[in-house]
Amino acid sequence: HGAALKKKGACCAGQDIHDARLAAESMGIPHYVLDYESRFRDAVIDDFADTYARGETPIPCVRCNQTVKFRDLLATARDLGADALATGHYVRRSPDGDGPARMLRAVDPGRDQSYFLFATTTEQLDYVRFPLGGMEKSETRAHAERFSLPVASKPDSQDYASIVRKLRPEAAEPGDIVDLDGQVIGRHDGVIHYTVGQRRGLGIGGTEEPLYVVRLEPTRRRVVVGPREALGVTRFMIGEVNWIGDRAGLPAEGIDCQVKVRLTTPPVAATVRP
């Protein structure tokens, strides 16, 4: 435990364990530390590093929820004879008691995490509870202060590029920034520092219109940039679809719905077809 405490910057380790123990102590509930480090590395980190190095922009939180939390942790909770598993995700389930569960967005749109939890199955939803989903973050912090919990003012943090650089150093090798015609217009210090749609931090000046990252070519170590309209698409393929609902799946004619392509962007109207 002492060694873990020194790893303050590490995700879900060290200081977090200490904070959780103090919070549990103040509420008078038992606190256990489960060591899932190797499972986390196998199921989440290696997959994340490989996908990132391929020029995609994966979300490790999705894999973590899909595997370590809602598979391994949930199995442990069942083994312990628990009635339910409660997590601090900002998402709601409906109904909030018996009956087949559906997933709903959180009340606080700025904190909604349903995006991260799309892979949750109906069976898992039946067992999981999300007590924070009906609150805004400020309200959660106010409750934490009211109960004198030591995590009331804790910041959120993440740094992806440094993790990938350690695990897949080749993804941090420098290369060319090219335009849509393949003309070299700059240099970069590793494709891991770029994501499709990015505008800032390209280090290219003097162009008439702003340039955006249009695609990444990791094997050639190239970052391809172009005008904003080069990013526009009217359709794209999706994979790893998870259907949470009372019907048998996506109807043949498709469904009109609101689709989010990034956590921070508002949903847009779309038709999803199988």
Side-chain angles (χ1 to χ4, degrees):
H1 188 256
L5 267 180
K6 291 179 187 140
K7 291 169 33 180
K8 184 158 185 167
C11 168
C12 308
Q15 189 65 36
D16 288 354
I17 293 173
H18 181 64
D19 291 343
R21 184 171 59 84
L22 291 178
E25 219 168 73
S26 70
M27 289 184 282
I29 59 174
H31 175 251
Y32 301 96
V33 177
L34 306 174
D35 184 2
Y36 287 161
E37 186 172 354
S38 59
R39 297 183 198 198
F40 185 74
R41 190 170 54 241
D42 294 344
V44 182
I45 296 297
D46 285 341
D47 170 75
F48 167 70
D50 288 339
T51 312
Y52 211 100
R54 282 202 304 270
E56 297 172 29
T57 311
I59 308 172
C61 310
V62 169
R63 278 282 181 263
C64 180
N65 289 322
Q66 200 176 2
T67 56
V68 179
K69 285 184 190 168
F70 285 56
R71 183 192 66 197
D72 300 335
L73 184 59
L74 193 141
T76 301
R78 285 193 193 280
D79 287 346
L80 290 169
D83 294 321
L85 172 67
T87 80
H89 290 99
Y90 282 84
V91 67
R92 290 175 297 154
R93 72 189 283 284
S94 171
D96 210 16
D98 298 328
R102 292 181 302 139
M103 184 182 290
L104 306 177
R105 281 182 284 190
V107 165
D108 185 345
R111 284 285 164 183
D112 173 52
Q113 289 177 303
S114 56
Y115 186 86
F116 295 130
L117 294 176
F118 81 88
T120 311
T121 64
T122 306
E123 186 190 15
Q124 290 167 341
L125 272 179
D126 285 340
Y127 190 66
V128 182
R129 301 292 181 272
F130 306 106
L132 303 187
M135 294 186 231
E136 304 223 337
K137 182 80 175 198
S138 55
E139 203 182 332
T140 304
R141 289 204 191 280
H143 282 308
E145 279 164 16
R146 188 162 67 87
F147 293 123
S148 303
L149 299 181
V151 290
S153 57
K154 206 174 161 95
D156 306 319
S157 66
Q158 271 308 343
D159 174 23
Y160 292 163
S162 61
I163 298 170
V164 182
R165 194 183 302 113
K166 280 183 204 154
L167 296 171
R168 304 288 182 271
E170 67 278 5
E173 291 173 4
D176 292 325
I177 299 177
V178 303
D179 63 18
L180 294 175
D181 297 322
Q183 298 291 315
V184 177
I185 57 172
R187 292 282 288 171
H188 67 77
D189 56 356
V191 292
I192 57 169
H193 300 292
Y194 300 86
T195 187
V196 173
Q198 178 177 333
R199 177 182 166 187
R200 298 180 194 283
L202 301 184
I204 304 164
T207 57
E208 285 179 30
E209 54 185 339
L211 293 172
Y212 297 79
V213 176
V214 175
R215 68 177 179 276
L216 301 173
E217 298 178 351
T219 50
R220 302 169 76 177
R221 298 206 296 274
R222 297 204 314 182
V223 173
V224 182
V225 298
R228 186 182 166 87
E229 58 266 23
L231 285 168
V233 295
T234 55
R235 57 176 58 209
F236 54 86
M237 300 288 286
I238 56 174
E240 297 188 49
V241 176
N242 178 45
W243 185 263
I244 308 174
D246 41 15
R247 283 184 291 179
L250 205 55
E253 68 277 12
I255 52 165
D256 294 328
C257 59
Q258 297 282 307
V259 168
K260 258 178 109 142
V261 292
R262 278 208 165 95
L263 174 67
T264 51
T265 57
V268 293
T271 304
V272 181
R273 295 187 179 89

